[in-house]
């Protein structure tokens, strides 16, 4: 079965999709005039200063936290480790490239999500790629919206949302504390059921509390490791840059990797981590209280910056400076060994806590994404059956192997991204127009404030 899945994965994540992913980001970067550089400061300030005026279900900060809850997960810890193990240190460089252009992609997704959102029969906001495909591209494109929603449910059920996360929690708990996979699986299932049955408000409130805390804790721990290994950082960065363009030789337990393998693993794991181009984050961005699509686009863009440029980089450098990537370990065990090389006593415990929180919040976020997709496909009546199936899949995750989980996640991720990327290209002109409209508003506000002084 694994061989068949690997063949399908290689086809889905072949050159066409990688070109489409990065190419869409390049196109949007060009049309938006390097917005991810010149507007990053503004975007970061909006995280805490957005006015939160206009229709919506939750404020912009909660929307970002919910999106980060779904993106900051095992991809940042396990995904980075598997990328380095398969593609060498050069995979980190290609993660950076994917993230840089992905910031423009994420901006466009957030902008269009607010522009074309709707209100469902329960009075709640519904938005995301399926709606900007239908309302932006037109009715004749509805099959593409259906395809996205169908793939979105598959990703929530069989990709990022369930198996990969639960498996990582089980794996790290067993490595650190020796706890039975079935006990951990049961606890995770019970907690997920208790929170997700409460809907978006319950998920958003949980994410708002956990996400900032877990990000700060992980940042402090990894930075501390790097500070203690400061003399190895320059060599690690040079290794990342050199390995991105030249094959990485076999050494120790590392089998060696070509540039193509480094590129493919870096981009694929980068997308798995930050979800730029996947179309997931705009589903919750649509629920934000704002009247300016471009404003939410800027806030959404920070998610990719925080997720990959900061957190994935910290994980990657921690693994490289430890030298553990040249051994025989992979996944959570590899990152655990990297932490333990600097903090022999508490390193494993710190990683276990961080990974468990990262993975758990990703489960919550993806439960909501899949729910919005099922509503588009079958209406609000399908929500309860969807949640029950989701919880049952969480409970079954303890019985699957890591290799099968990651390959399956890669496949459904790629299938979900295709219709979204087509829509982003088709609606890039709308994104540019909304950006100009918001910039004109900001200029007018600045003039008004100056005159009233």
């Amino acid at each position: 079965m694994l061989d068949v899945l690997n063949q399908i994965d290689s086809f889905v994540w072949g050159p066409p999709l990688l070109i489409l992913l990065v190419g869409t980001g390049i196109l949007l970067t060009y049309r938006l005039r390097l917005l991810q550089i010149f507007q990053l400061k503004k975007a970061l300030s909006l995280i805490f200063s957005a006015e939160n005026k206009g229709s919506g279900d939750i404020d912009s900060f909660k929307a970002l936290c919910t999106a980060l809850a779904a993106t900051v997960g095992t991809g940042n810890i396990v995904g980075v480790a598997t990328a380095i193990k398969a593609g060498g240190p050069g995979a980190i460089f290609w993660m950076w490239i994917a993230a840089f252009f992905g910031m423009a992609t994420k901006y466009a997704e957030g902008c269009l999500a607010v522009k074309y959102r709707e209100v469902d029969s329960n009075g709640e906001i519904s938005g995301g790629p399926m709606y900007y495909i239908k309302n932006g591209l037109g009715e004749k494109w509805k099959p593409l919206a259906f395809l996205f929603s169908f793939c979105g449910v598959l990703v929530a059920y069989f990709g990022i949302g369930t198996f990969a996360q639960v498996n990582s929690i089980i794996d790290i708990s067993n490595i650190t504390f020796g706890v039975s996979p079935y006990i951990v699986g049961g606890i995770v299932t019970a907690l997920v059921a208790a929170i997700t049955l409460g809907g978006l408000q319950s998920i958003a409130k949980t994410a708002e509390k956990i996400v900032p805390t877990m990000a700060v804790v992980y940042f402090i721990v990894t930075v501390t490791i790097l500070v203690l290994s400061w003399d190895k950082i320059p060599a690690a960065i040079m290794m990342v840059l050199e390995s991105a363009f030249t094959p990485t030789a076999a050494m120790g337990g590392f089998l060696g990797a070509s540039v193509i393998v480094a590129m493919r693993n870096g981009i694929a794991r980068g997308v798995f981590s930050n979800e730029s181009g996947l179309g997931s984050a705009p589903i919750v961005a649509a629920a934000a209280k704002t009247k300016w699509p471009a404003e939410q686009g800027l806030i959404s863009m920070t998610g990719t910056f925080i997720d990959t440029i900061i957190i994935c980089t910290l994980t990657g450098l921690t693994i490289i400076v430890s030298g553990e990537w040249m051994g025989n370990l992979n996944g959570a065990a590899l990152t655990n060994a990297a932490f333990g090389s600097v903090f022999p006593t508490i390193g494993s415990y710190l990683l276990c806590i961080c990974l468990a929180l990262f993975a758990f919040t990703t489960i919550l976020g993806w439960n909501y994404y899949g729910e919005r997709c099922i509503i588009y496909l079958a209406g609000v009546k399908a929500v309860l059956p969807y949640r029950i199936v989701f919880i049952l899949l969480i409970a079954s995750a303890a019985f699957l192997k890591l290799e099968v989980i990651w390959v399956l996640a890669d496949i459904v991720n790629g299938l979900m991204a295709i219709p979204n990327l087509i829509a982003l290209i088709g609606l890039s002109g709308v994104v540019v127009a909304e950006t100009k409209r918001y910039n004109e508003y900001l200029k007018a506000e600045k003039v008004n404030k100056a005159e009233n002084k």
Side-chain angles (χ1 to χ4, degrees):
M1 179 183 177
L2 184 58
D3 289 339
V4 174
L5 287 175
N6 276 322
Q7 290 177 3
I8 296 172
D9 185 33
S10 296
F11 175 77
V12 171
W13 281 100
L17 180 55
L18 295 182
I19 292 169
L20 182 60
L21 268 167
V22 180
T24 302
I26 292 172
L27 171 67
L28 290 166
T29 296
Y30 171 75
R31 297 204 66 180
L32 294 169
R33 300 179 181 180
L34 293 171
L35 174 137
Q36 65 266 57
I37 295 176
F38 298 112
Q39 294 291 328
L40 181 59
K41 182 179 178 181
K42 172 69 176 176
L44 292 171
S45 69
L46 281 171
I47 294 175
F48 303 104
S49 65
E51 294 180 351
N52 293 308
K53 294 179 179 178
S55 59
D57 293 333
I58 55 178
D59 62 50
S60 294
F61 181 69
K62 284 183 179 178
L64 176 64
C65 284
T66 305
L68 281 172
T71 55
V72 179
T74 57
N76 300 86
I77 297 176
V78 182
V80 174
T82 57
I84 293 173
K85 189 64 182 179
I92 299 299
F93 175 84
W94 295 109
M95 273 191 177
W96 292 340
I97 294 298
F100 175 75
F101 292 114
M103 287 172 69
T105 304
K106 187 68 75 72
Y107 169 83
E109 290 176 323
C111 180
L112 293 172
V114 173
K115 172 75 174 177
Y116 294 110
R117 61 189 178 182
E118 296 181 358
V119 179
D120 66 24
S121 57
N122 283 342
E124 296 179 344
I125 296 292
S126 288
M130 53 283 207
Y131 292 95
Y132 55 70
I133 289 171
K134 182 187 73 170
N135 299 329
L137 293 179
E139 290 291 320
K140 65 180 180 180
W141 292 90
K142 283 184 71 175
L144 206 61
F146 178 90
L147 175 62
F148 173 85
S149 299
F150 180 72
C151 290
V153 174
L154 289 181
V155 175
Y157 275 167
F158 305 112
I160 299 174
T162 52
F163 299 142
Q165 310 304 329
V166 180
N167 185 272
S168 294
I169 295 174
I170 288 170
D171 194 17
I172 198 67
S173 297
N174 185 257
I175 291 170
T176 309
F177 300 107
V179 183
S180 166
Y182 307 112
I183 293 175
V184 176
I187 293 171
V188 172
T189 302
L191 290 173
V192 169
I195 296 170
T196 58
L197 291 174
L200 176 60
Q201 294 296 337
S202 176
I203 293 171
K205 286 178 182 177
T206 304
E208 184 185 31
K209 292 179 175 66
I210 295 178
V211 170
T213 302
M214 73 182 189
V216 169
V217 169
Y218 192 73
F219 179 83
I220 291 171
V221 173
T222 49
V223 167
T224 301
I225 292 174
L226 293 174
V227 168
L228 293 174
S229 307
W230 65 269
D231 56 320
K232 298 178 183 178
I233 294 176
I237 294 173
M238 284 303 299
M239 193 179 294
V240 168
L241 298 176
E242 290 173 359
S243 300
F245 301 101
T246 56
T248 307
M251 56 189 87
F254 181 69
L255 302 177
S258 66
V259 173
I260 295 298
V261 172
M263 184 185 298
R264 181 186 175 279
N265 277 275
I267 294 175
R269 291 288 179 261
V271 172
F272 184 95
S273 178
N274 63 52
E275 299 177 16
S276 295
L278 199 60
S280 49
I283 295 174
V284 71
K289 294 178 180 177
T290 181
K291 58 183 179 180
W292 295 103
E295 181 179 80
Q296 188 55 39
L298 288 172
I299 295 171
S300 295
M301 183 179 79
T302 64
T304 298
F305 179 79
I306 294 168
D307 178 275
T308 306
I309 303 298
I310 296 178
I311 299 178
C312 284
T313 298
L314 291 173
T315 302
L317 290 177
T318 298
I319 291 171
I320 295 169
V321 299
S322 73
E324 295 291 343
W325 65 279
M326 292 180 285
N328 296 312
L329 299 175
N330 198 1
L334 172 53
T335 312
N336 182 64
F339 272 54
S341 67
V342 177
F343 294 123
T345 305
I346 64 169
S348 294
Y349 302 117
L350 290 171
L351 181 65
C352 182
I353 293 169
C354 290
L355 180 54
L357 290 175
F358 279 25
F360 183 72
T361 54
T362 299
I363 294 169
L364 301 182
W366 267 97
N367 171 268
Y368 176 72
Y369 291 162
E371 183 179 300
R372 291 291 106 184
C373 288
I374 204 72
I375 287 174
Y376 183 84
L377 294 172
V380 294
K381 65 181 182 298
V383 170
L384 185 58
Y386 161 81
R387 290 176 179 173
I388 291 172
V389 172
F390 187 91
I391 292 166
L392 290 174
L393 287 171
I394 293 292
S396 69
F399 302 95
L400 292 174
K401 294 182 179 179
L402 178 65
E403 292 84 358
V404 173
I405 292 168
W406 282 107
V407 177
L408 189 61
D410 265 355
I411 292 170
V412 288
N413 282 358
L415 294 176
M416 184 179 177
I418 293 169
N420 178 54
L421 292 168
I422 293 171
L424 291 177
I425 293 170
L427 296 170
S428 60
V430 176
V431 177
V432 173
E434 284 295 330
T435 304
K436 289 180 178 178
R437 195 166 72 92
Y438 181 62
N439 286 337
E440 289 170 359
Y441 159 74
L442 291 177
K443 288 179 183 177
E445 282 286 291
K446 191 174 181 180
V447 171
N448 289 336
K449 288 180 180 178
E451 289 176 349
N452 292 329
K453 281 186 178 180

